[in-house]
Amino acid sequence: MKVEMMVKDKIVTITDESPLYIMLRDLFYGGDWYNMKKDFNDKAFLNEIENLEFIEKNITILNDSFYSPIIWSELVSFFNEKNITPELFQHATVDGLYELSIEYADKDLLGDAKNILEFAIKVDKNFAPAYDFLGSIHIELGNIEEGIKFLNRAVEIDPWLVQSYSTLGEVYYNQGDYEKAISYWLKEIEYSPNDIFTYFMIADAYTRMKNYEKAANILNKLLEIDNNNIIAMYELSQIYREMGKTKEAETVEKEILNAKPIDPNGIEIWAKIKMKYNKYDEIVEVIEPMIDNTVDSLHLKALLVVPYIKLGKIEEARKYYEELKQNDFWYLFGKKEIFDKYLTKKEKELCGIF
């Protein structure tokens, strides 16, 4: 298709390829014709750019409505036809390509996402996020060694790219190489000390190596950052018990008793410790105000069953137990351990728990 029109004594032309030039400008040059012209000195190519510049100046703004969505295979065909190689993009940026690769990956088009990123690192050999994402895609595709290579290149370029350390740690952890996993995760928290989850992974890796001393140390380090982290306190108490340090374990458990639970997992651990020390009234006092009528509050109601029975509130306990049985039987089944541990046979019968 070819459309010609006269504008200010000048003939301007729109063809099937015009959207691809606009796409190229937006994707590699942030909408800037000036830098795009620096990289393409072919006369025919420059004529196309200048033609589109004139249209934009005198008729209409040229934006993604002229080409959206970007089809990578079409762009590659355009590159091949025009002999455009990555080396030509001397004044370009690859941020647009990076964003495009994310869009493709989100649609599970990992092969195309990988090809886009490979093109990006040929344009800019020092764009660390592209290496990181490319490495992650290779890992997902099962190309572990290739993925490790790209992830290591990412942190070589940009040591602050903590996501690469995180992924590398995960790769080695899944391979059972806990020591190597720890080395990357320690690097991650060196640059990003508030990545709470990583401390737990390091502690878990040390525990699997039976290096309980270092596992306890990393959890204590986490508690210096987040002194109300109930999950960390609980994990630390368990590790102390593994080490035979009963007194230290009990000290940490008492810290849990005085903590203020916030997240759901923390609340459950806190409630269990309160049950262990027969602090049933305190469980009710904290959890009751959190209860609402949404399904999301079912887990909180499960934690109230034992305290209600212990405090003689049998009807309330039975009501929540029946509600849980009707709405989420398998979640309730997962709480059987709590009922068996803290309730007598007679108490369970009173509430209809079998």
Side-chain angles (χ1 to χ4, degrees):
M1 183 189 77
K2 183 177 180 180
V3 176
E4 293 183 340
M5 65 186 82
M6 180 70 72
V7 180
K8 291 188 177 182
D9 299 325
K10 177 180 172 68
I11 296 176
V12 292
T13 306
I14 298 291
T15 70
D16 289 335
E17 289 186 341
S18 296
L20 291 164
Y21 286 93
I22 303 167
M23 183 191 300
L24 190 62
R25 178 204 63 177
D26 290 352
L27 195 58
F28 289 88
Y29 300 94
D32 182 13
W33 293 115
Y34 178 75
N35 278 324
M36 183 175 173
K37 286 192 289 187
K38 287 182 181 178
D39 288 341
F40 297 95
N41 52 23
D42 176 79
K43 187 176 180 181
F45 206 99
L46 283 173
N47 285 340
E48 288 285 354
I49 294 175
E50 288 170 357
N51 180 63
L52 291 169
E53 272 189 297
F54 183 83
I55 291 172
E56 191 160 51
K57 184 177 179 180
N58 295 281
I59 303 175
T60 186
I61 297 296
L62 303 175
N63 53 32
D64 61 353
S65 63
F66 287 87
Y67 58 76
S68 187
I70 297 175
I71 309 299
W72 179 247
S73 59
E74 289 182 3
L75 196 55
V76 169
S77 296
F78 179 67
F79 288 163
N80 291 336
E81 183 183 334
K82 303 296 181 184
N83 295 317
I84 297 172
T85 62
E87 292 73 25
L88 286 174
F89 294 94
Q90 296 298 310
H91 298 85
T93 64
V94 294
D95 301 81
L97 283 180
Y98 180 72
E99 293 299 324
L100 183 63
S101 69
I102 293 173
E103 289 179 23
Y104 271 84
D106 286 344
K107 296 173 184 174
D108 289 328
L109 299 171
L110 297 183
D112 285 327
K114 181 173 73 70
N115 293 338
I116 293 166
L117 290 165
E118 286 170 349
F119 195 94
I121 61 176
K122 288 176 183 175
V123 173
D124 185 350
K125 293 179 175 58
N126 294 308
F127 191 71
Y131 288 95
D132 169 73
F133 195 20
L134 184 54
S136 297
I137 288 175
H138 275 291
I139 298 297
E140 193 166 344
L141 291 172
N143 308 323
I144 306 299
E145 292 305 315
E146 195 73 5
I148 290 171
K149 181 183 76 174
F150 284 114
L151 290 164
N152 275 315
R153 177 58 181 152
V155 291
E156 180 184 333
I157 297 167
D158 182 3
W160 287 89
L161 202 59
V162 294
Q163 181 57 42
S164 293
Y165 295 122
S166 178
T167 307
L168 283 162
E170 186 180 338
V171 169
Y172 284 111
Y173 178 88
N174 290 336
Q175 291 181 342
D177 191 342
Y178 302 122
E179 192 168 346
K180 205 152 191 176
I182 289 167
S183 70
Y184 281 109
W185 284 332
L186 287 173
K187 201 73 177 173
E188 179 187 356
I189 61 173
E190 177 186 333
Y191 287 100
S192 185
N194 293 319
D195 282 352
I196 302 299
F197 181 72
T198 305
Y199 289 87
F200 287 109
M201 291 307 301
I202 295 170
D204 181 72
Y206 276 133
T207 301
R208 288 174 182 271
M209 295 168 66
K210 300 194 182 301
N211 194 333
Y212 299 116
E213 193 73 43
K214 287 189 175 180
N217 288 342
I218 199 70
L219 288 173
N220 274 312
K221 189 173 181 181
L222 168 56
L223 287 167
E224 289 175 11
I225 298 167
D226 184 4
N227 58 16
N228 194 52
N229 194 308
I230 292 173
I231 301 173
M233 292 180 202
Y234 179 75
E235 293 292 335
L236 182 59
S237 70
Q238 297 301 103
I239 288 169
Y240 279 145
R241 291 193 187 282
E242 287 287 343
M243 297 169 72
K245 294 185 175 183
T246 306
K247 187 178 290 186
E248 287 87 343
E250 289 174 353
T251 298
V252 176
E253 283 184 355
K254 286 172 183 175
E255 289 176 7
I256 295 174
L257 288 176
N258 296 321
K260 294 180 179 179
I262 299 172
D263 69 278
N265 290 324
I267 289 173
E268 181 162 332
I269 291 168
W270 171 85
K272 285 180 181 178
I273 299 297
K274 288 283 187 183
M275 290 179 202
K276 180 178 178 180
Y277 288 89
N278 301 318
K279 304 287 185 180
Y280 301 112
D281 55 339
E282 294 179 21
I283 297 172
V284 173
E285 184 181 345
V286 170
I287 293 181
E288 269 190 344
M290 298 180 180
I291 299 291
D292 55 32
N293 294 319
T294 67
V295 176
D296 292 337
S297 67
L298 282 174
H299 73 282
L300 295 174
K301 292 177 180 178
L303 296 175
L304 285 174
V305 172
V306 171
Y308 276 161
I309 293 174
K310 292 295 184 182
L311 295 171
K313 298 181 177 182
I314 306 302
E315 288 306 314
E316 289 93 330
R318 183 185 288 273
K319 175 187 171 185
Y320 280 165
Y321 183 80
E322 290 300 321
E323 184 180 345
L324 284 155
K325 191 161 66 171
Q326 290 176 21
N327 289 283
D328 200 337
F329 175 80
W330 290 111
Y331 179 82
L332 184 65
F333 184 78
K335 302 305 168 198
K336 185 177 184 297
E337 180 188 354
I338 296 176
F339 301 144
D340 289 344
K341 185 173 183 178
Y342 295 106
L343 296 174
T344 65
K345 183 180 178 183
K346 185 176 181 180
E347 287 171 329
K348 286 191 286 185
E349 286 174 353
L350 283 172
C351 193
I353 300 173
F354 299 100

